[in-house]
């Protein structure tokens, strides 16, 4: 699921600063995400923030490290909207990365909603991801999918957004008794990596324990303790590039719901089922009862008391750089959890591999062309738009909502915005007229985009 996370606007104003050199962010808005700059978690959080376009090497927050924990959603603070996230992973186990936030904790369960977006004539979903990073270990999520209608896609993933490595479970509404497993390396689409399994019952009617075991040499998927599949690194060698196409990059755990049936790309719609049935009052829901994370990687969370990470904005009268980030550490509290979103696999890259196919069955290609392949049903979303969860055209675990019906907004750094894998194309309304102003002491132009309530 290649999910280049898109940014969303909500009521109020969001300020994006274009740097004076047209390439990097300024000291006043030091963190870059998809060509836009600001100084809050939406832009600065590790793996969302682009260090190559940010103001300096310390602008983006650092990876928090992995923490052994079980999240049972007995506290409303277990998930927080990204604009309210302080940067302390011990305070909030999960972060909801899109606006408006369609996540909630209700009756001891995490609920991810997808509602109807009349402006785009499709669903606006939800993506949450872990506040701690994750690299190698075991993650189990007790999930009831949203597969009650064709087109509705639910996802449980481990993903590095910057690198494009991903491991996932996905459920599509047209086939509620099945779950799909998939792997992505550097967002390269490889149809042979996808496998489907009938679990013998409606995944939207009952909870099941879905487990991903990620080791440097293999990946395993299990349901209710029964191993479905083993994917071996040794089978992924690509002779042409002299590399093993096996996920190895540190990432985050994520959960999402998105509209694959009305996503636009033909391949994604055929994979998810189309069209997704909607009325103005329709709400589709994915339920998560618990998440358990056990780490085995080389980057454990710090044992010190965690403090919020920050990218300090310099005073407008100062010419010195004040963008900095304090590394976040984690205390071993069992109420905090790691989750990520959904998100979408880019179909760019070499699809061929010299690895031996695994003997776990054939994969269905959901895309009529390589371009349309994706996973987590992500339509392209620009940072300055209202985006939702992710999805991909290949339909295999990769949230490639990057192929939406709308063109992405231009980047404030003068570069095109990369489509979001969240499956939503955010397009400012006619009332989103930008106004320009200048900040004293700042060499860049600031554009304030206002979306009325």
């Amino acid at each position: 699921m290649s999910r280049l996370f898109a940014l969303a606007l909500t009521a109020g104003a969001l300020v994006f600063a274009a740097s004076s050199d047209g390439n990097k962010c300024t000291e006043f808005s030091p963190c870059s995400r998809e060509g836009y700059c600001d100084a809050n978690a939406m832009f600065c959080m590790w793996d969302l923030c682009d260090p190559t376009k940010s103001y300096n090497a310390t602008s983006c927050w650092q990876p928090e490290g992995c923490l052994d924990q079980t999240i049972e959603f007995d506290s409303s603070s277990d998930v927080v909207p990204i604009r309210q996230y302080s940067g302390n992973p011990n305070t909030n186990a999960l972060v909801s990365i899109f606006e408006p936030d369609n996540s909630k904790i209700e009756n001891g369960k995490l609920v991810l909603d997808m509602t109807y977006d009349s402006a785009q004539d499709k669903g606006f979903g939800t993506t949450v991801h872990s506040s701690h990073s994750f690299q190698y270990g075991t993650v189990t999520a007790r999930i009831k999918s949203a597969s009650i209608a064709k087109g509705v896609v639910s996802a449980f993933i481990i993903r590095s957004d910057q690198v494009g490595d991903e491991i996932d479970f996905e459920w599509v509404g047209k086939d509620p008794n099945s779950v799909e497993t998939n792997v992505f390396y550097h967002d390269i689409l490889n149809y042979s990596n996808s496998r489907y399994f009938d679990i013998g019952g409606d995944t939207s009617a009952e909870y099941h324990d879905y487990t991903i075991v990620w080791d440097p040499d293999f990946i395993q998927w299990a349901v209710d303790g029964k191993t479905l599949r083993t994917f071996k690194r040794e089978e992924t060698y690509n002779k042409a590039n002299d590399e093993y196409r096996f996920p190895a990059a540190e990432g985050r755990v994520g959960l999402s719901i998105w509209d694959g049936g009305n996503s636009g790309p033909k391949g994604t719609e055929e994979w998810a089922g189309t069209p997704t049935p909607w009325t103005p009052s329709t709400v589709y829901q994915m339920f998560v009862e618990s998440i358990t994370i056990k780490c085995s990687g080389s980057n454990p969370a710090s044992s010190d008391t965690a403090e919020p990470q920050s990218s300090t904005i310099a005073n407008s009268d100062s010419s010195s750089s004040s963008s900095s980030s304090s590394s976040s550490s984690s205390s071993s509290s069992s109420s905090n959890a790691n989750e990520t979103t959904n998100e979408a696999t880019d179909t760019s890259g070499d699809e061929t591999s010299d690895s031996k196919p695994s003997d776990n069955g054939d994969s269905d290609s959901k895309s009529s062309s390589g371009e349309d392949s994706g996973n987590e049903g992500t339509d392209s979303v620009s940072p300055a738009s209202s985006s939702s969860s992710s999805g991909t055209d290949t339909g295999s675990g990769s949230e490639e909502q990057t192929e939406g019906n709308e063109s992405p907004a231009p980047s404030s750094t003068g570069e095109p915005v990369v489509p979001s894998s969240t499956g939503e194309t955010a397009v400012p309304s006619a009332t989103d007229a930008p106004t320009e102003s200048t900040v004293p002491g700042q060499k860049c132009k600031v554009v304030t985009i206002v979306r009325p309530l």
Side-chain angles (χ1 to χ4, degrees), residues 128-298:
V128 300
H129 71 196
S130 58
S131 57
H132 280 93
S133 55
F134 182 79
Q135 184 180 35
Y136 303 128
T138 301
V139 185
T140 298
R142 187 163 178 79
I143 294 171
K144 186 162 67 173
S145 80
S147 294
I148 64 173
K150 62 184 178 181
V152 181
V153 182
S154 316
F156 163 35
I157 69 171
I158 300 168
R159 175 168 174 87
S160 164
D161 193 50
Q162 290 293 333
V163 175
D165 286 358
E166 183 174 318
I167 307 163
D168 61 54
F169 276 110
E170 280 194 309
W171 301 261
V172 294
K174 73 174 185 179
D175 190 4
N177 289 7
S178 295
V179 65
E180 179 186 9
T181 65
N182 208 349
V183 173
F184 290 84
Y185 170 79
H186 290 195
D187 283 337
I188 296 172
L189 173 64
N190 185 339
Y191 289 107
S192 68
N193 286 345
S194 174
R195 300 286 186 276
Y196 296 82
F197 298 90
D198 190 320
I199 68 168
D202 187 344
T203 62
S204 68
E206 297 180 347
Y207 284 94
H208 294 276
D209 291 321
Y210 297 91
T211 299
I212 296 173
V213 180
W214 182 23
D215 183 89
D217 294 318
F218 65 86
I219 299 165
Q220 287 183 331
W221 294 258
V223 176
D224 296 331
K226 180 182 178 181
T227 299
L228 301 179
R229 175 186 180 191
T230 300
F231 181 82
K232 298 180 180 179
R233 178 179 180 272
E234 65 185 20
E235 297 174 348
T236 67
Y237 181 69
N238 183 279
K239 188 175 181 179
N241 296 86
D242 189 25
E243 64 183 3
Y244 288 93
R245 294 188 168 181
F246 184 86
E250 186 173 7
R252 297 188 188 275
V253 178
L255 296 159
S256 66
I257 179 174
W258 52 274
D259 187 351
N262 296 344
S263 64
K266 183 178 179 181
T268 298
E269 292 186 344
E270 290 177 347
W271 163 69
T274 190
T276 306
W278 285 106
T279 69
S281 61
T282 300
V283 178
Y284 295 108
Q285 294 183 312
M286 175 183 179
F287 298 89
V288 185
E289 198 169 73
S290 64
I291 303 166
T292 298
I293 298 173
K294 295 182 178 179
C295 314
S296 64
S298 59

Side-chain angles (χ1 to χ4, degrees), residues 31 39 44 58-61 86-87 307-312 323-326:
C31 302
C44 297
T58 64
S59 296
C60 295
W61 296 355
S86 68
E307 295 182 358
Q309 300 197 57
S310 63
S311 290
T312 306
S323 137
S324 64
S325 67
S326 52

Side-chain angles (χ1 to χ4, degrees), residues 20-21 31 48 76 121 157 165 226 230 258 270 291 293 296 319 322 338 376 391 413 422:
S20 58
D21 63 6
C31 302
L48 296 181
S76 60
D121 191 26
I157 69 171
D165 286 358
K226 180 182 178 181
T230 300
W258 52 274
E270 290 177 347
I291 303 166
I293 298 173
S296 64
S319 59
S322 60
N338 296 329
E376 273 190 89
T413 60
T422 60

Side-chain angles (χ1 to χ4, degrees), residues 373-432:
S373 64
N375 294 64
E376 273 190 89
T378 21
D379 295 343
S380 53
V381 186
S382 74
S385 54
S386 64
S387 70
S388 89
S389 33
S390 51
T392 340
D393 226 0
T394 59
S396 66
S398 164
E399 311 175 15
E400 180 173 308
Q401 287 185 331
T402 58
E403 301 161 299
N405 300 325
E406 315 272 355
S407 300
S411 155
S412 62
T413 60
E415 298 187 6
V417 173
V418 180
S420 153
S421 58
T422 60
E424 311 274 342
T425 304
V427 179
S429 67
T431 60
D432 293 338

Side-chain angles (χ1 to χ4, degrees), residues 15 37 99 102 124 129 253 298 321 338 359 371 404 410 413 436:
V15 177
C37 304
E99 294 179 332
N102 282 343
F124 185 95
H129 71 196
V253 178
S298 59
S321 160
N338 296 329
D359 54 3
E371 281 186 22
T413 60
E436 295 186 5

